[in-house]
Amino acid sequence: MGYKAKFINKIVCLLIISWSALMLLAALLSMYRDYAYATILAKNEAVVSVKKDLAYRKWIASHGGIYVPITKRTPPNPYLSHIKNRDVNTSASQQLTLMNPAYSLSQMMKDYSELYGTKGHITSTILMNPKNKPDAWEEEALKQIEKTQEPIYTKTEINGEEHFRYIQPLKTEQSCLKCHAFQGYKVGDIRGGVSVSIPMKWYYNEAFKTIVLNIGIIIIVYLIGLGVILYGRKKAKEIVEKKVKDYEQHIFSFVNIIEKRDSYTAGHTQRVAKYSVLIAKEMGFNDEKVDDLYRACMLHDIGKISTPDSILLKPGKLNNLEYEIIKEHVVVSYELLNSVDIYKDIAEIVRHHHEHFDGGGYPQGLKGDQIPILSQIMTVADAFDAMTTNRIYKARKSVVKAIEELNELASKQFNAQVAKAASVALKDVIIEHNITQLPKSKIEKERFVYFYKDQITGIYNKEYLDFVLAYNSSDEFNMKHLYIVYLHNFSQYNTTHGWVNGDELLSKVANKLDSINTNDLIFRIYGDDFVILSEKEFDIESHISELEEILAGSNISISYKKFDIEQEDITSTEELEKLF
């Protein structure tokens, strides 16, 4: 997974977690609601059942009880024996008995329980019929009813099965005294209650069916939502990747512009990225880390935008102050990358790619494991590219020699494990022969020699002569002959005519020498002497008279010496000076 997917995946993970949590909550709420609704339905049935019983009882009470035929099922109520005319004869063959409201209701409750499983019970603390004795729950409920005169309900177990239990208080009315006055009740007294027990099993079964249906619907909705999120992730990833790709193209173009400022390091960024990826894969880093490292390498020198051209483009060695200034590019790179959200994760890698394992690097002098491991990989890749690239004053090394040097510096400049991995990962790398810091195009050469131009005469200076002699007989230069032109008594001319006039005269001499042959290289050395490098030998004597015309009346004399560069093995100004 690359950085391009990190942000999207974080959002998608958050959405999936949120969506899953929402659907789980919906499922739990649905289960809770359905099971709670089962209780509500049971309560409603209990209330309706009790109200029905009370309505039936009230109807009977309003008629003073009812007379029913005496049968085996409806024998005379022994608890009403104190009432006159409890039993009456309607004919010789039929005898009726009085059934009071409570007795009639208990009979009906018994039938209802057998038919539907709903157990009704009329009960009291002062019993007329022992069969109406309250159970433990009813007894506790009756005590509360005495205080609150309100219905009591709850869920509890009966014979191991959960029931919804409900009890409605019975208030004594005038019609009740016919049968219960002897018990001491007065109108308005709580005389007991009508209790009902509803088995919860059927309601729970129905609730379970509803839950299964709802969960199925929730799962379908969840899967649809998940599909939408994943589809959105795909589209968002495509959009973001396109935007990031466009953004990175601009950034990498910006890096290319920076490299074009420094034509001697062209392609360096891509090569360091390539070498770093090979090393990281050899060390077993995952794709995400490899991608981070690649991006860090592509941007590791972006801070050079702040380095002055006079330092960045200087072909020669830097002095101490210049070196301190160019070291600042890693800090600038870090600050630039750290200010951009998509590059924050690689800013630290870039910041420390010039640290050394032994603590001798910069910018913070970190050592060992203090240095991020990806930075340590980039350090090795950066050094390997430098070793295998033609430098201004140092020819490139072969891959074998470069790897040997990496191992020699292991545990000093480089992490030993990284150097070991590089030895394997980079051993088959093919270095292009055209990889060089030396200028190739006319424009590059002109930019290059800008630092080697003499400011007074516009021709080349001694430093460039050293450079050309060092790289002579190579693909860059093939000079065979060297001429030294000496100007004598020039300091006296400066004293007499002033430095400005002296500079003008030097420029005239330089221009004349530069016009001798367009393929020659002309250098001003040691103030008032000149060197001509030429591929072909020419007759300099024929041009001396032209120079003398320029110097006429100045009291300056002129002489020259001629050398065969290859025969004299001249490779530096120091060796040339010995031949003066």
Side-chain angles (χ1 to χ4, degrees):
M1 183 194 306
Y3 82 103
K4 298 175 182 177
K6 286 182 182 178
F7 178 74
I8 296 174
N9 286 345
K10 286 180 181 179
I11 297 298
V12 170
C13 287
L14 182 61
L15 286 174
I16 290 176
I17 292 172
S18 300
W19 179 245
S20 300
L22 180 62
M23 290 295 97
L24 179 61
L25 180 62
L28 294 175
L29 288 175
S30 176
M31 293 172 61
Y32 174 79
R33 183 199 64 186
D34 290 334
Y35 274 108
Y37 192 59
T39 301
I40 292 172
L41 289 177
K43 178 184 176 183
N44 289 341
E45 182 176 341
V47 172
V48 169
S49 177
V50 169
K51 286 183 176 180
K52 172 180 62 65
D53 293 341
L54 290 176
Y56 176 71
R57 179 186 174 282
K58 186 174 183 180
W59 182 84
I60 295 175
S62 65
H63 292 77
I66 59 172
Y67 282 89
V68 298
I70 297 174
T71 64
K72 184 177 181 180
R73 186 172 180 179
T74 55
N77 187 345
Y79 307 110
L80 300 180
S81 57
H82 61 285
I83 298 177
K84 294 181 179 181
N85 301 323
R86 182 193 66 175
D87 303 319
V88 296
N89 295 320
T90 57
S91 65
S93 60
Q94 187 176 34
Q95 188 177 20
L96 302 178
T97 185
L98 177 65
M99 296 192 71
N100 68 335
Y103 192 64
S104 300
L105 187 58
S106 64
Q107 289 285 351
M108 188 189 71
M109 287 177 174
K110 180 180 178 184
D111 292 345
Y112 198 78
S113 176
E114 291 174 355
L115 290 171
Y116 304 109
T118 300
K119 300 176 181 179
H121 188 212
I122 187 168
T123 186
S124 177
T125 54
I126 302 176
L127 297 172
M128 179 184 290
N129 183 349
K131 293 181 180 180
N132 293 337
K133 182 180 180 181
D135 60 20
W137 181 85
E138 290 173 329
E139 187 173 355
E140 186 63 31
L142 287 172
K143 292 179 181 179
Q144 294 183 46
I145 286 174
E146 287 286 345
K147 299 176 182 177
T148 65
Q149 297 190 5
E150 296 292 334
I152 302 295
Y153 56 88
T154 187
K155 285 190 291 186
T156 186
E157 287 190 359
I158 299 177
N159 298 325
E161 184 178 347
E162 191 172 23
H163 284 68
F164 185 88
R165 304 202 67 179
Y166 180 89
I167 185 169
Q168 175 78 29
L170 280 174
K171 289 186 178 181
T172 302
E173 298 178 1
Q174 185 64 43
S175 58
C176 300
L177 297 177
K178 178 178 179 180
C179 300
H180 296 283
F182 78 96
Q183 292 177 301
Y185 289 111
K186 300 186 295 295
V187 174
D189 288 346
I190 298 298
R191 192 171 49 77
V194 177
S195 170
V196 65
S197 301
I198 308 292
M200 292 300 299
K201 183 177 180 179
W202 182 86
Y203 293 96
Y204 285 153
N205 288 340
E206 292 301 308
F208 180 75
K209 293 177 183 177
T210 305
I211 288 170
V212 170
L213 177 62
N214 290 341
I215 294 297
I217 294 172
I218 289 173
I219 290 174
I220 292 173
V221 173
Y222 172 74
L223 293 175
I224 292 173
L226 192 62
V228 170
I229 292 173
L230 294 177
Y231 177 76
R233 172 186 178 274
K234 179 182 176 183
K235 300 303 291 184
K237 184 178 179 181
E238 291 174 357
I239 294 171
V240 170
E241 283 189 343
K242 184 178 184 305
K243 288 186 176 181
V244 171
K245 184 177 180 181
D246 292 342
Y247 184 81
E248 283 207 327
Q249 284 179 343
H250 286 91
I251 293 296
F252 291 163
S253 296
F254 184 58
V255 172
N256 287 334
I257 292 173
I258 296 173
E259 282 200 344
K260 289 185 183 298
R261 289 178 66 214
D262 183 7
S263 59
Y264 328 120
T265 58
H268 168 72
T269 293
Q270 289 85 350
R271 293 192 299 275
V272 171
K274 173 186 173 182
Y275 301 152
S276 294
V277 167
L278 291 174
I279 297 170
K281 287 183 176 180
E282 176 65 27
M283 295 181 72
F285 285 93
N286 60 35
D287 291 344
E288 182 178 347
K289 292 294 184 183
V290 171
D291 187 63
D292 285 344
L293 179 58
Y294 175 82
R295 291 187 300 120
C297 291
M298 290 298 293
L299 298 171
H300 76 282
D301 278 339
I302 195 172
K304 285 185 177 179
I305 191 66
S306 68
T307 306
D309 283 353
S310 60
I311 297 175
L312 182 66
L313 305 182
K314 184 177 180 180
K317 294 182 179 180
L318 303 176
N319 60 40
N320 291 338
L321 178 59
E322 291 169 335
Y323 184 60
E324 288 301 318
I325 291 174
I326 205 166
K327 286 197 304 185
E328 287 297 313
H329 83 275
V330 293
V331 177
V332 176
S333 295
Y334 169 78
E335 290 173 348
L336 285 173
L337 297 175
N338 197 49
S339 65
V340 181
D341 287 341
I342 64 173
Y343 293 131
K344 285 182 180 291
D345 54 345
I346 65 170
E348 202 69 24
I349 302 172
V350 172
R351 185 183 195 178
H352 299 295
H353 76 276
H354 279 295
E355 302 283 4
H356 291 175
F357 195 76
D358 60 4
Y362 63 89
Q364 295 180 323
L366 303 182
K367 62 170 60 176
D369 293 338
Q370 294 176 330
I371 309 168
I373 186 63
L374 297 184
S375 299
Q376 297 186 55
I377 292 175
M378 195 193 305
T379 301
V380 171
D382 197 21
F384 179 81
D385 184 61
M387 293 175 190
T388 54
T389 302
N390 275 327
R391 316 300 294 272
I392 298 301
Y393 291 105
K394 195 174 186 180
R396 67 183 179 88
K397 298 179 185 293
S398 67
V399 172
V400 173
K401 291 293 183 181
I403 289 176
E404 286 178 1
E405 185 168 339
L406 291 178
N407 289 322
E408 287 172 4
L409 295 173
S411 299
K412 299 174 185 176
Q413 184 173 342
F414 310 121
N415 181 315
Q417 290 182 334
V418 177
K420 181 179 179 181
S423 300
V424 178
L426 304 180
K427 64 183 176 62
D428 296 323
V429 165
I430 298 175
I431 306 297
E432 297 179 17
H433 292 293
N434 63 347
I435 296 177
T436 177
Q437 283 190 316
L438 302 178
K440 295 181 284 295
S441 69
K442 183 177 180 180
I443 294 177
E444 286 180 0
K445 288 179 179 179
E446 190 60 31
R447 290 177 64 192
F448 181 75
V449 299
Y450 170 80
F451 290 90
Y452 290 138
K453 285 290 184 74
D454 178 56
Q455 293 183 355
I456 294 175
T457 63
I459 60 175
Y460 301 126
N461 58 22
K462 174 181 173 295
E463 285 73 23
Y464 192 50
L465 176 60
D466 247 331
F467 172 76
V468 174
L469 291 174
Y471 278 93
N472 199 27
S473 300
S474 69
D475 294 337
E476 305 299 327
F477 306 101
N478 189 25
M479 299 300 178
K480 303 293 186 181
H481 305 280
L482 185 150
Y483 303 86
I484 302 177
V485 177
Y486 303 94
L487 299 182
H488 306 287
N489 299 321
F490 198 87
S491 60
Q492 184 63 40
Y493 182 86
N494 277 336
T495 302
T496 303
H497 299 280
W499 288 346
V500 173
N501 290 325
D503 290 345
E504 290 179 358
L505 187 58
L506 281 175
S507 295
K508 290 178 181 180
V509 173
N511 290 336
K512 188 60 183 178
L513 291 172
D514 197 32
S515 67
I516 293 175
N517 190 337
T518 56
N519 292 324
D520 293 343
L521 297 178
I522 314 300
F523 308 86
R524 179 190 173 206
I525 61 172
Y526 303 121
D528 51 11
D529 297 329
F530 296 87
V531 170
I532 302 172
L533 294 182
S534 178
E535 293 182 6
K536 297 179 180 180
E537 185 177 8
F538 69 93
D539 182 14
I540 191 173
E541 184 68 36
S542 63
H543 299 282
I544 293 297
S545 59
E546 297 176 7
L547 293 172
E548 288 176 340
E549 289 179 8
I550 296 173
L551 299 173
S554 64
N555 293 322
I556 298 173
S557 60
I558 186 169
S559 65
Y560 71 91
K561 286 185 180 181
K562 175 183 173 183
F563 300 97
D564 185 304
I565 296 176
E566 189 173 325
Q567 184 177 343
E568 300 291 347
D569 192 24
I570 303 171
T571 59
S572 67
T573 56
E574 184 179 351
E575 293 173 356
L576 178 62
E577 192 173 356
K578 294 177 183 178
L579 300 174
F580 279 11

